[in-house]
Amino acid sequence: MQTEKHLTGTLVLSVFTAVLGFFQYGYSLGVINAPQKVIEAHYGRVLGIVSPDKYATNASGEDGTFLQAGTEGTLPAPTDISEDLATSPHILTMYWSLSVSVFAIGGMVSSFTVGWIGDRLGRVKAMLVVNVLSIAGNLLMGLAKFGPSHILIISGRAVTGLYCGLSSGLVPMYVSEVSPTALRGALGTLHQLAIVTGILFSQILGLDFLLGNDEMWPLLLGLSGVAALLQFFLLLLCPESPRYLYIKLGKVEEAKKNLKRLRGNCDPMKEIEEMEKEKQEAASEKKVSIRQLFTSSKYRQAVIVALMVQISQQFSGINAIFYYSTNIFERAGVDQPVYATIGVGVVNTVFTVISVFLVEKAGRRSLFLAGLMGMLVSAVAMTVGLVLLDLCGPYVFAIFAGLLLIFFLFAHFKVPETKGKSFEEIAAVFRRKKLSAKAMTELQDLRRSEEA
């Protein structure tokens, strides 16, 4: 088959190397969950405070008396205990919240520069450069025990977040541009597979008898630096995107050469012709500002669809589950919440693998709608379960359920199917929608004038 001929060794290497960035993203999402109590206890020792839920026995192991942070086998004065207990929950909560959330803040900030750095350096060079952030961030976390751990972890998470924000834009850009149209859907889902695989790896390694213990947790946090190093060296073997070379730089022969590397013995001229059409269309377009993207009817539909698809993923509630699944299962009365969290990771990984094989048959839109509806049902079920359990603050998933209903309706009515379509054909779909909307408006105006 033609699609099988297109799946060359160079293409497999290029896609695998690129999605290693999403493996790091998934690992960073899941790694902070399991060792929470161990890291909080270490924060308490470094800061010289005692958390109210961190008990210790005395030297003989006979009682559950609190120990003064930083001392072994000695008891603090009663006044010191009460003073520590009054302040420690708030301080530890603040530092732990920063340790979790600063990753997302870093990603949000850096994501605004993806387009600029991708066009300025090229897809491969950009991924090489931003990998330095991942290596640096993981080093900070891996060395956390050798300094002020709370500062090093927060800094490391922030720098890693900067990397993931850039990588989450550069990787899909590169993968979509090097993939043949017939395989773009399947290869385009591999970044999600890399994410869930990274999450699952972090959950398994986070078990207390592996790396999620007081001795090994810095290694657990910094371990995705190994994937960063692997990606760095493999990127040196990957060809630059032919689409970038042809459309952005005008390097025709180099684009043909890289297409042959990626496609094998296939004639590259058909794809070159598609790129030429896209290049001519891009050249005829005027540069537009961010404001014009939303105010011009020519771009508004495509921009809104792209934004809503991304927003629906982030606000579906899945990230809240990954960050706090152990705590959720613990509140639900599960004896071994960490293993239940791993179960979530396994299910997520299995169904992502299934989607890789289904996406070209079922279509992107159908799977997207099915996923939104599944999350909607799950969010409602979790809300009901939490309400029936402790009637205090469980309605967060009801919010996610309401948002998911909005996202589902939007996707059903506004998101077009892109299965088997080239970039030019996808753009044509939005042009037709625009023309149809314009024709409908003109028809309505004509009817009003006739009625008048």
Side-chain angles (χ1 to χ4, degrees):
M1 291 176 64
Q2 190 175 11
T3 56
E4 292 174 339
K5 292 179 181 178
H6 284 171
L7 195 62
T8 62
T10 302
L11 178 60
V12 171
L13 173 67
S14 300
V15 173
F16 170 77
T17 302
V19 300
L20 279 173
F22 273 99
F23 176 86
Q24 297 175 62
Y25 175 42
Y27 190 93
S28 299
L29 276 178
V31 74
I32 205 71
N33 192 347
Q36 175 179 350
K37 291 184 178 180
V38 175
I39 298 175
E40 280 184 324
H42 187 79
Y43 282 4
R45 292 194 293 271
V46 171
L47 294 168
I49 60 177
V50 179
S51 173
D53 59 347
K54 304 297 185 293
Y55 294 90
T57 59
N58 60 16
S60 64
E62 294 173 354
D63 59 33
T65 313
F66 284 109
L67 295 184
Q68 178 77 20
T71 63
E72 299 270 343
T74 59
L75 300 178
T79 54
D80 294 336
I81 295 177
S82 60
E83 187 177 334
D84 282 340
L85 293 182
T87 58
S88 63
H90 307 292
I91 295 174
L92 286 178
T93 299
M94 179 189 72
Y95 279 118
W96 180 253
S97 298
L98 278 173
S99 300
V100 175
S101 62
V102 76
F103 172 76
I105 295 171
M108 180 179 67
V109 171
S110 65
S111 63
F112 287 101
T113 65
V114 169
W116 178 81
I117 194 171
D119 287 344
R120 186 70 179 269
L121 299 179
R123 303 353 180 187
V124 173
K125 286 182 181 178
M127 287 189 288
L128 272 169
V129 170
V130 302
N131 234 311
V132 175
L133 292 172
S134 178
I135 295 170
N138 281 283
L139 277 174
L140 286 171
M141 291 185 287
L143 298 173
K145 275 197 172 183
F146 297 95
S149 58
H150 53 300
I151 301 299
L152 291 175
I153 290 175
I154 292 170
S155 300
R157 293 274 294 172
V159 174
T160 306
L162 291 173
Y163 163 77
C164 288
L166 290 164
S167 183
S168 63
L170 292 170
V171 171
M173 190 187 300
Y174 179 72
V175 171
S176 65
E177 290 180 356
V178 300
S179 302
T181 301
L183 295 175
R184 190 179 300 135
L187 296 180
T189 60
L190 292 181
H191 74 271
Q192 183 61 31
L193 179 59
I195 291 175
V196 298
T197 303
I199 292 171
L200 182 59
F201 264 71
S202 70
Q203 290 170 340
I204 293 173
L205 292 175
L207 292 171
D208 57 1
F209 63 85
L210 292 177
L211 300 181
N213 52 60
D214 191 55
E215 294 296 322
M216 304 298 292
W217 63 260
L219 177 60
L220 174 68
L221 294 186
L223 199 58
S224 68
V226 175
L229 284 171
L230 177 62
Q231 186 186 39
F232 184 89
F233 289 110
L234 288 180
L235 280 169
L236 300 175
L237 305 176
C238 297
E240 182 54 90
S241 159
R243 188 172 295 274
Y244 169 76
L245 291 171
Y246 190 94
I247 297 176
K248 294 292 183 182
L249 303 184
K251 296 182 178 180
V252 180
E253 293 305 317
E254 196 169 340
K256 288 181 180 178
K257 178 182 176 183
N258 283 9
L259 266 178
K260 289 179 180 178
R261 285 183 63 191
L262 290 163
R263 304 287 183 265
N265 296 323
C266 296
D267 185 5
M269 291 313 299
K270 182 179 179 181
E271 288 191 64
I272 291 293
E273 289 171 4
E274 289 179 3
M275 293 179 199
E276 179 61 29
K277 289 179 183 178
E278 188 176 339
K279 183 178 181 180
Q280 290 177 1
E281 185 174 334
S284 65
E285 298 284 352
K286 296 180 180 179
K287 289 188 176 181
V288 295
S289 64
I290 297 294
R291 181 183 177 184
Q292 288 173 313
L293 286 176
F294 292 93
T295 56
S296 172
S297 60
K298 186 173 185 179
Y299 308 106
R300 187 166 54 234
Q301 173 75 8
V303 170
I304 291 175
V305 167
L307 285 175
M308 285 297 289
V309 168
Q310 294 300 320
I311 290 171
S312 65
Q313 182 183 23
Q314 300 305 318
F315 283 85
S316 66
I318 189 62
N319 288 341
I321 293 172
F322 281 134
Y323 281 139
Y324 302 107
S325 57
T326 301
N327 182 263
I328 291 170
F329 285 123
E330 189 174 10
R331 290 179 61 195
V334 177
D335 291 334
Q336 298 288 340
V338 174
Y339 292 100
T341 295
I342 292 175
V344 173
V346 170
V347 171
N348 198 17
T349 303
V350 168
F351 277 86
T352 304
V353 172
I354 292 172
S355 72
V356 171
F357 296 98
L358 281 181
V359 68
E360 292 298 345
K361 294 182 179 180
R364 285 77 151 155
R365 182 174 177 273
S366 300
L367 291 180
F368 182 53
L369 288 170
L372 290 175
M373 181 53 67
M375 281 296 297
L376 171 58
V377 173
S378 299
V380 171
M382 288 189 67
T383 301
V384 172
L386 290 173
V387 168
L388 294 177
L389 178 68
D390 71 348
L391 295 181
C392 180
Y395 292 100
V396 62
F397 287 99
I399 297 173
F400 289 134
L403 289 171
L404 283 161
L405 179 59
I406 294 171
F407 298 145
F408 179 86
L409 293 173
F410 178 87
H412 179 73
F413 291 108
K414 293 293 185 180
V415 178
E417 179 57 73
T418 59
K419 173 185 174 183
K421 292 183 173 65
S422 66
F423 290 110
E424 174 61 27
E425 290 169 333
I426 294 170
V429 170
F430 285 106
R431 285 198 297 270
R432 285 198 296 272
K433 282 182 173 289
K434 177 198 166 190
L435 292 174
S436 299
K438 184 178 179 181
M440 183 64 69
T441 302
E442 291 175 350
L443 181 60
Q444 290 173 347
D445 292 340
L446 179 61
R447 287 177 178 173
R448 291 194 195 98
S449 62
E450 290 175 350
E451 291 172 357

